[in-house]
Amino acid sequence: MKLPKAYEAGQYESDIYKLWEESGLFQADPNSSKPHFSMSMPPPNETSVLHMGSALFVTLQDIIARHQRQLGKDVLWLPGTDHAAIATNALIEKQLAEQGTDKHKIGREEFLKRTKEFVAANRDAIIVQLRAMGASCDWGRLRYTLDEALNRCVNEVFVKMWHDGLIYRGHRIVNWDPKLETTVSDDEVERIEKNEPLYTLQYGPFQIATARPETKFGDKYVVVHPDDKRYAQYEHGDTFEVDWLNGKVTATVIKDEAVEPKFGTGVMTITPWHDRTDFEIAERHGLEKDQIIDLKGKLLPIAGEFAGMKINEARPKIVEKLDKLGLLVKMEDRPHNIGLNSRGKGVIEPQIMLQWFIDVNRPAVNWKGQLRSLKEVMRAVVEDGDITIIPKRFEKTYYQWIDNLYDWCISRQIWWGHRVPVWYKGKGDKPEIYVGVRAPKGDGWQQDPDTLDTWFSSALWTWSTLVNQDLAKDYSLSLEDLLQKSGDFKTYHPTDVMETGWDILFFWVARMILATTYVTGEVPFKTAYLHGLVRTEEGKKMSKSDPDSIIDPMEVIPEFGTDALRLALVAGTTAGTDQRVGKTKIVANRNFCNKLWNIARYIQEALGENLRVVPVGRRVTSKSLANHWILNKLSICSEKVNKALANFKFHEAYEILYHFVWDDLADWYIEASKTEPNREVLNHVLENTLKIAHPFAPFVTETIWQNLEYDGLLAAQLWPEVASFDKPKAKQFEVIQSVVADARRVATILELKKPALYYSKAPILEANIELVKRLGRLGEVKASSEGLRLVNATEPVWLAVDKEQARKYRSALEKQIKELKADIERLKSRLASKNYKQNAPKELVEQTETELKEAKKQSGTIKHELDSLGN
RNA sequence: GGGUAAUUAGCUCAACGGCUAGAGCGCUUGAUUCACAUUCAAGAGGUUGUAGGUUCGAAUCCUGCAUUACCCACCA
């Protein structure tokens, strides 16, 4: 088919994707004799739609996958979606509220049914969008975190950890979100700074500071630093009577190093039930703990007349009462950190609760023959180089996170998710307990109502997705057997690359390392590449609460094409660094796609009807200098792009490709070929340029490939092998370029139209007169030596101008000679330094010498020219 | 309080101890229907935040300072 004038992406993309998918090209084959390459897709949340962040990860991973296929590997890029427990649960609850009901009214079963219906619909939308982005993943292996087999893996790991003493149930202080009524992990708590009053209260003989007067009802311990001389007269354990909020209380003095003597008065009272520091102090000294606030965020009867009130409502009233009692010494505004749930932004209220935890400090993991704690293993795999994190600086962030890691609270009080695989029989404090992959036999067992943190199941993602789905139904197999009998697991695990955003380094990357090393004895991936976040053109975070800030990929694609979007994302990306994306960037890259298209269009016309002038391969006959030159450039481009991709330098790879296509191929070679078209070379260069560009811009390249009726699918082609060429001849083309460039430059300055060019003793020009004429937009080109000497050309050439015009050029020459003089001085002084000659590499010194020689020579030429111009 | 980065052309970013610090967008001048105005040609524009240091050589390494962003942490 003859290509139309402009590339209209929307006309081709969906057909092209269908072509790929039906070919089976994206399917991995564990039995293949090719080397294997594997990568898991970070499963998008089912509640969300594809945003720019997802567009970025699809683009980068697709580039990796397509490039690996081109290198002749069997590639598994495994897609999937995540059940996103808290986010989904919250969304459904909101829907219910809008319908005037709630989850308790409809019951657990109905709630789960509705949620399933909702996510199923949404999942389909996400998958459509991933395809629209061109994702070349293996859809036959699509997984979902709540799949039966994955659920079994979750249960198996829970049970295994339980038996190893890595999972325990206990009363610990946790982050409670009264809004969503669930616990969340430490990582899910987001802190914001707010100016709030800090109250100083009179507590018996002491003055204490607090930002939360509403928690002070139960306070019966005052804590001071053991070395604080101001309070040396009090002994640890001393008691005294205090007139307090609701009457007299007996207070006890506690000495603990957690108190900072410099803060306020150096005295504090503690609320162990609602503060982690206080909790730890209480634990150390065996103190009593009282609950003040309930799980809905309301005050309990201990608060007397304030019982039942919400905190915000109660606080001013309590302060008022303190004032009346004469207990309020002063209040002043101070910045204060408030914990919010990152999902839903509910204010976190620490609570002591009976929950399930993962012990990160117990040495129960066999790693490389040593029994270590989860923390130690997580640290070791990165320190030992089993896992490489790109960029490297995130290793430090990762270590810091490990150092501050507490036991991981994994139980959630929501219904959507993997249910805790524990059953209880009997009531009271100590029921009979059963921990198992499946429900216990017999009557009277009740399953724990809680579900597991989403990240617990995501932590297993690299391998739980590779478990054989049918074998997973056979519960006579142990988890170990199951893994060993799963062909995909044996072939594709550990995965090669994990490509994801740095913002989920802790949530996900670290947790995968934790769980996978423990269960499989293998790392989940060898390299973790962390990309930056996509921001708006103004540098703002794209957020749902500010819809104007969002550029929706699904709106960009129909207007500019998927490739334009992909290229725009690649053009701005460096590992770990956030980038800004706006319309201008997308337009610029749409233009690049159109450039490729028009190159193909020109070559199609040049090739005529008989497209396949040369069989695929390296046999082409080059005649002209330009032919050799472009093949040289093509081979350099191919090599550099290949290397940059191998090193995850996506941005660099694209830049090399971009300039090869636009500058070398379009602006020089195609223009040159108009004088002397070489169908074989044109064909060869186009074919291989398409291959190199394909991972970046798969749609336009494949569309061209199909329209030009090349064999098979471009997506199935291997990385180019460039035809042989003659290097010295390639170099000679650069002589022509230098002459052309200088002629153009001078002609522009002097406003000449089609001037004549003269040359003397220049066989290269002599043999390429037509070419020089065309490229340089020149009139006549012949042997002579008059007019204005083109001093920047590497051959002796002159532009035919009259004396008057030539004089106009004097100032340009004078300026240039001035600059040359400075250069010569600089080079001379560099060479004059003994240390330079001794220490710098030989090539560099030689290069400097050459430069100096050339600068001197050119300076001579210009002087001579100036002299001959006269005044 | 601890940490990580950023600071380079008007804007957005590259350059990871060695050519004259590059690119895209924008800007200036010119071209015109022969692949592409989603084009072509030519050009202007930078003392690399700041003060020192190491080195034959520094945007790059080190130290201090300034500004900004982010992450972590139990200052009540």
Side-chain angles (χ1 to χ4, degrees):
Chain A
M1 187 191 102
K2 196 163 181 293
L3 299 179
K5 203 164 171 179
Y7 173 60
E8 299 292 344
Q11 293 178 16
Y12 314 100
E13 289 184 353
S14 60
D15 289 343
I16 289 289
Y17 195 90
K18 219 178 270 165
L19 207 59
W20 289 329
E21 203 178 343
E22 283 166 3
S23 77
L25 188 69
F26 300 162
Q27 284 163 28
D29 176 12
N31 299 318
S32 164
S33 58
K34 297 177 187 172
H36 304 286
F37 177 91
S38 61
M39 175 169 65
S40 308
M41 180 188 289
N45 285 0
E46 289 194 325
T47 48
S48 68
V49 289
L50 199 77
H51 48 81
M52 273 297 167
S54 350
L56 175 62
F57 89 64
V58 175
T59 301
L60 296 181
Q61 288 168 35
D62 194 52
I63 289 172
I64 293 171
R66 287 178 191 268
H67 182 236
Q68 291 295 329
R69 273 185 216 106
Q70 288 177 319
L71 297 179
K73 293 187 192 169
D74 160 53
V75 170
L76 169 62
W77 180 20
L78 190 143
T81 55
D82 188 87
H83 68 283
I86 292 187
T88 311
N89 206 90
L91 199 97
I92 301 295
E93 287 202 48
K94 199 175 147 206
Q95 284 182 1
L96 290 175
E98 279 161 9
Q99 292 162 16
T101 179
D102 66 49
K103 67 174 177 181
H104 301 290
K105 278 184 198 147
I106 64 168
R108 189 162 190 146
E109 209 170 307
E110 175 64 19
F111 181 87
L112 293 179
K113 197 182 136 222
R114 288 196 190 195
T115 312
K116 270 179 201 158
E117 283 165 10
F118 171 79
V119 297
N122 221 45
R123 188 182 317 151
D124 293 343
I126 291 170
I127 288 167
V128 167
Q129 294 174 340
L130 289 171
R131 284 187 162 99
M133 281 300 299
S136 65
C137 45
D138 186 346
W139 294 112
R141 286 180 168 83
L142 179 70
R143 295 288 183 268
Y144 174 40
T145 44
L146 285 180
D147 282 345
E148 199 187 329
L150 275 74
N151 179 242
R152 177 171 172 192
C153 292
V154 165
N155 290 351
E156 293 276 3
V157 173
F158 189 99
V159 173
K160 183 174 157 71
M161 287 186 135
W162 164 261
H163 288 302
D164 283 342
L166 286 171
I167 279 184
Y168 66 91
R169 190 182 194 216
H171 288 278
R172 288 284 179 282
I173 192 140
V174 294
N175 307 300
W176 178 257
D177 176 359
K179 194 171 154 196
L180 297 180
E181 292 186 54
T182 181
T183 58
V184 295
S185 67
D186 296 342
D187 295 297
E188 281 160 303
V189 179
E190 185 181 289
R191 284 175 202 281
I192 56 158
E193 198 171 82
K194 226 175 155 180
N195 259 324
E196 286 203 326
L198 180 73
Y199 306 91
T200 304
L201 308 177
Q202 193 69 42
Y203 189 80
F206 300 98
Q207 290 192 349
I208 57 154
T210 183
R212 304 203 54 191
E214 69 277 6
T215 65
K216 296 282 131 187
F217 292 99
D219 286 7
K220 50 194 174 193
Y221 302 102
V222 287
V223 190
V224 296
H225 196 277
D227 300 334
D228 196 330
K229 288 186 183 128
R230 288 171 291 179
Y231 306 107
Q233 76 266 34
Y234 298 97
E235 293 287 323
H236 179 84
D238 281 357
T239 59
F240 57 95
E241 293 277 300
V242 183
D243 284 315
W244 197 227
L245 268 165
N246 292 335
K248 276 197 190 311
V249 292
T250 305
T252 308
V253 174
I254 299 296
K255 298 217 169 181
D256 191 285
E257 299 192 343
V259 178
E260 171 57 63
K262 285 189 192 124
F263 185 86
T265 55
V267 190
M268 65 179 197
T269 61
I270 57 168
T271 314
W273 202 282
H274 301 293
D275 186 283
R276 181 185 267 163
T277 313
D278 296 1
F279 175 81
E280 284 169 4
I281 293 171
E283 286 280 281
R284 276 198 285 278
H285 303 285
L287 311 179
E288 287 174 32
K289 309 175 188 103
D290 296 313
Q291 187 174 6
I292 318 292
I293 300 161
D294 73 6
L295 297 184
K296 299 212 182 256
K298 290 181 180 162
L299 288 163
L300 288 164
I302 192 171
E305 71 263 39
F306 304 105
M309 284 189 197
K310 286 260 183 192
I311 287 163
N312 284 339
E313 183 192 351
R315 188 181 291 175
K317 293 182 180 160
I318 293 166
V319 173
E320 200 179 309
K321 182 173 181 187
L322 283 163
D323 197 17
K324 266 189 197 154
L325 291 170
L327 299 174
L328 181 64
V329 180
K330 62 172 175 180
M331 59 186 269
E332 52 187 336
D333 272 4
R334 250 189 105 88
H336 188 240
N337 280 340
I338 297 173
L340 300 181
N341 183 356
S342 52
R343 294 262 173 218
K345 310 292 173 196
V347 176
I348 294 296
E349 184 62 68
Q351 293 275 4
I352 295 175
M353 298 180 77
L354 183 59
Q355 297 289 332
W356 289 96
F357 294 88
I358 289 183
D359 187 335
V360 292
N361 292 305
R362 184 186 166 92
V365 187
N366 191 332
W367 183 253
K368 292 188 180 171
Q370 262 188 332
L371 221 51
R372 310 196 206 191
S373 71
L374 290 167
K375 260 189 182 182
E376 286 164 347
V377 178
M378 278 193 276
R379 183 176 260 285
V381 290
V382 176
E383 276 178 350
D384 298 350
D386 297 319
I387 293 176
T388 307
I389 298 179
I390 300 174
K392 198 169 163 43
R393 67 169 185 270
F394 278 101
E395 288 181 6
K396 206 161 180 179
T397 316
Y398 173 79
Y399 294 140
Q400 190 189 328
W401 177 79
I402 293 173
D403 292 340
N404 287 312
L405 189 61
Y406 286 83
D407 286 358
W408 173 16
C409 176
I410 51 170
S411 43
R412 297 286 177 275
Q413 291 64 52
I414 55 178
W415 288 348
W416 182 241
H418 295 278
R419 200 153 169 184
V420 172
V422 176
W423 287 260
Y424 309 100
K425 196 191 237 174
K427 297 242 160 154
D429 280 351
K430 293 228 160 87
E432 201 181 328
I433 182 166
Y434 175 84
V435 178
V437 175
R438 294 207 283 176
K441 296 214 166 66
D443 293 335
W445 289 101
Q446 285 233 314
Q447 189 168 6
D448 194 304
D450 287 355
T451 52
L452 291 167
D453 185 357
T454 310
W455 300 104
F456 187 94
S457 60
S458 327
L460 320 180
W461 187 247
T462 60
W463 57 269
S464 63
T465 51
L466 298 175
V467 162
N468 184 301
Q469 305 284 292
D470 294 323
L471 288 177
K473 290 175 187 144
D474 179 358
Y475 283 87
S476 69
L477 291 169
S478 69
L479 176 60
E480 207 167 286
D481 289 342
L482 185 57
L483 288 175
Q484 290 314 309
K485 285 183 189 214
S486 295
D488 279 1
F489 175 78
K490 294 294 286 175
T491 308
Y492 296 114
H493 204 270
T495 61
D496 290 275
V497 176
M498 171 52 59
E499 195 291 321
T500 189
W502 59 257
D503 53 325
I504 51 172
L505 175 61
F506 307 146
F507 287 120
W508 194 40
V509 177
R511 259 80 186 251
M512 279 191 280
I513 295 172
L514 178 152
T516 305
T517 50
Y518 165 68
V519 177
T520 68
E522 292 176 355
V523 291
F525 37 77
K526 295 166 199 158
T527 301
Y529 177 92
L530 304 172
H531 62 244
L533 309 181
V534 182
R535 295 177 180 274
T536 65
E537 224 157 11
E538 290 78 39
K540 282 194 286 190
K541 222 171 180 172
M542 291 189 194
S543 80
K544 277 184 198 160
S545 55
D546 180 10
D548 289 344
S549 71
I550 296 178
I551 303 179
D552 181 354
M554 289 306 132
E555 283 173 22
V556 172
I557 288 173
E559 193 178 350
F560 300 99
T562 301
D563 292 333
L565 174 60
R566 289 170 59 120
L567 293 170
L569 288 165
V570 170
T573 195
T574 44
T577 307
D578 296 353
Q579 62 167 317
R580 302 177 184 202
V581 171
K583 220 170 183 174
T584 51
K585 218 174 229 173
I586 295 167
V587 169
N589 290 289
R590 187 264 326 253
N591 295 355
F592 177 73
C593 295
N594 195 56
K595 196 64 173 172
L596 273 174
W597 183 259
N598 273 287
I599 288 168
R601 203 159 88 96
Y602 169 77
I603 292 177
Q604 183 185 38
E605 279 168 26
L607 295 178
E609 289 305 307
N610 186 11
L611 280 173
R612 301 244 35 110
V613 284
V614 186
V616 179
R618 307 177 63 176
R619 281 191 7 259
V620 297
T621 319
S622 300
K623 289 177 191 145
S624 70
L625 301 181
N627 293 160
H628 291 281
W629 177 82
I630 195 64
L631 289 173
N632 186 18
K633 288 284 181 186
L634 174 65
S635 100
I636 291 169
C637 170
S638 160
E639 205 173 296
K640 282 189 173 169
V641 170
N642 199 18
K643 198 175 158 200
L645 285 180
N647 291 315
F648 300 95
K649 303 203 166 172
F650 303 101
H651 160 266
E652 193 185 312
Y654 174 44
E655 202 170 286
I656 293 162
L657 169 71
Y658 182 97
H659 290 290
F660 168 74
V661 168
W662 207 305
D663 302 348
D664 298 341
L665 179 53
D667 289 347
W668 282 104
Y669 182 67
I670 290 204
E671 288 312 313
S673 81
K674 286 175 183 172
T675 346
E676 196 187 348
N678 181 325
R679 296 166 23 130
E680 292 180 5
V681 175
L682 282 169
N683 188 53
H684 180 78
V685 171
L686 174 61
E687 191 178 307
N688 288 310
T689 301
L690 291 175
K691 289 179 193 169
I692 299 171
H694 183 255
F696 304 90
F699 287 105
V700 66
T701 51
E702 185 76 74
T703 306
I704 294 169
W705 188 272
Q706 294 305 322
N707 275 297
L708 265 56
E709 294 167 30
Y710 284 129
D711 288 339
L713 288 170
L714 174 57
Q717 305 298 314
L718 293 178
W719 194 254
E721 283 187 56
V722 177
S724 58
F725 55 90
D726 184 314
K727 254 197 182 149
K729 283 187 179 158
K731 202 88 189 153
Q732 284 175 22
F733 185 71
E734 288 170 14
V735 169
I736 292 172
Q737 284 183 305
S738 92
V739 170
V740 165
D742 211 26
R744 283 174 182 172
R745 195 175 59 84
V746 175
T748 306
I749 293 172
L750 299 180
E751 295 174 327
L752 306 174
K753 270 202 178 176
K754 296 221 166 206
L757 184 91
Y758 305 136
Y759 60 85
S760 124
K761 292 179 209 156
I764 295 172
L765 298 185
E766 179 111 63
N768 290 284
I769 286 178
E770 281 311 306
L771 183 63
V772 174
K773 230 187 210 172
R774 174 183 270 276
L775 294 179
R777 297 172 186 187
L778 298 162
E780 202 181 6
V781 174
K782 66 171 186 187
S784 179
S785 57
E786 52 187 295
L788 180 67
R789 173 80 188 260
L790 295 179
V791 295
N792 295 327
T794 51
E795 298 289 278
V797 287
W798 292 263
L799 216 52
V801 299
D802 60 44
K803 281 241 155 107
E804 193 141 332
Q805 284 170 317
R807 275 196 208 101
K808 272 162 75 184
Y809 197 64
R810 263 195 86 93
S811 63
L813 284 176
E814 276 162 356
K815 191 180 163 203
Q816 201 182 344
I817 206 162
K818 214 169 145 192
E819 284 167 1
L820 265 175
K821 258 187 196 154
D823 280 351
I824 290 169
E825 283 313 306
R826 190 171 45 80
L827 294 170
K828 264 187 181 167
S829 72
R830 193 185 294 173
L831 284 169
S833 155
K834 236 188 253 168
N835 284 327
Y836 177 69
K837 281 198 169 171
Q838 269 170 19
N839 298 332
K842 226 183 192 169
E843 310 89 68
L844 203 68
V845 177
E846 276 167 21
Q847 192 190 315
T848 312
E849 278 163 352
T850 318
E851 272 173 39
L852 181 60
K853 223 160 81 190
E854 274 169 14
K856 279 180 175 166
K857 189 179 150 201
Q858 205 190 1
S859 166
T861 313
I862 297 175
K863 257 183 214 156
H864 185 263
E865 185 60 21
L866 277 169
D867 287 347
S868 70
L869 278 176
N871 287 315

